[in-house]
Amino acid sequence: MKTGLVPAQITTVEDKIAGNMTFPQILFLVIALVLGTVIYVAVPPGSHLSVIKVVSIALQFIVFGLLAVRIKGQTMADRLIILLRFSLRPHLYVFTKNDLATRGAVRFEKTKKSEKESEGPAEKKKAVKAEPKIDRLLLDKLLTNPQLAINLKLSKKGGIDVSLESDKR
């Protein structure tokens, strides 16, 4: 059996069922017809024509008819869904800067493996870069303390030498 690719232009074309109407449009009109029948039978007096029945059936036919209208390749129901999704999502975004000075610091300690787990011929140890541990709350207290003087000096290799001196008055 010979197979071939189907061009994208053919797969995106919607099938026209009756005249210029697609399946979703016909489905809207059938739903309106079924609801009109339910209204005619269920609203008292049953199976008799009244002004309330005619008005409610005409209103729901107008609503479903407008939902079935196609403008620029989209039904009004599709456009209504897009509009509702846009209006229901949040439009105001609040940025909060939670630094360690305004909340309790959470520290995670690394657990050491036992000797049995760490011993293994196939296991290779990777070199881990040592990072300095900084206590941010203590650093914030030191920086805001008015009795301490902070001296910063540039070193020859591009580093910064920091020294703290207390002002005893």
Side-chain angles (χ1 to χ4, degrees):
M1 182 167 155
K2 195 174 187 181
T3 60
L5 294 175
V6 178
Q9 293 85 5
I10 294 174
T11 58
T12 58
V13 174
E14 292 185 359
D15 293 329
K16 306 290 183 185
I17 294 177
N20 219 8
M21 299 182 74
T22 61
F23 181 72
Q25 289 174 309
I26 291 177
L27 191 64
F28 279 122
L29 297 178
V30 168
I31 289 172
L33 181 68
V34 169
L35 284 179
T37 306
V38 168
I39 290 172
Y40 179 74
V41 173
V43 176
S47 298
H48 291 288
L49 200 60
S50 66
V51 175
I52 296 174
K53 288 183 182 181
V54 170
V55 169
S56 61
I57 290 172
L59 267 171
Q60 64 98 16
F61 264 107
I62 289 170
V63 168
F64 279 99
L66 287 175
L67 289 176
V69 171
R70 183 175 290 273
I71 299 174
K72 293 184 181 178
Q74 284 184 327
T75 61
M76 291 302 288
D78 293 336
R79 291 176 180 240
L80 183 65
I81 289 172
I82 292 170
L83 181 68
L84 287 175
R85 283 185 183 166
F86 177 75
S87 64
L88 292 177
R89 70 178 187 194
H91 295 287
L92 181 65
Y93 296 98
V94 179
F95 176 75
T96 58
K97 182 180 176 185
N98 288 330
D99 56 350
L100 293 176
T102 60
R103 61 185 166 101
V106 179
R107 294 185 182 177
F108 296 100
E109 298 289 331
K110 290 185 178 179
T111 58
K112 294 183 179 179
K113 293 183 179 180
S114 66
E115 292 179 16
K116 292 179 183 177
E117 291 178 7
S118 63
E119 292 178 9
E123 186 177 329
K124 294 181 181 179
K125 294 184 180 180
K126 294 181 180 179
V128 179
K129 184 178 180 182
E131 295 181 11
K133 293 185 179 179
I134 300 172
D135 189 0
R136 301 244 183 225
L137 291 174
L138 179 63
L139 183 63
D140 189 44
K141 286 179 185 177
L142 288 174
L143 291 175
T144 57
N145 190 354
Q147 295 178 349
L148 289 178
I150 301 172
N151 293 325
L152 301 172
K153 294 180 183 177
L154 294 175
S155 66
K156 292 181 181 179
K157 294 185 179 181
I160 299 175
D161 294 329
V162 180
S163 62
L164 297 173
E165 295 177 5
S166 62
D167 287 341
K168 293 186 180 180
R169 294 178 186 168

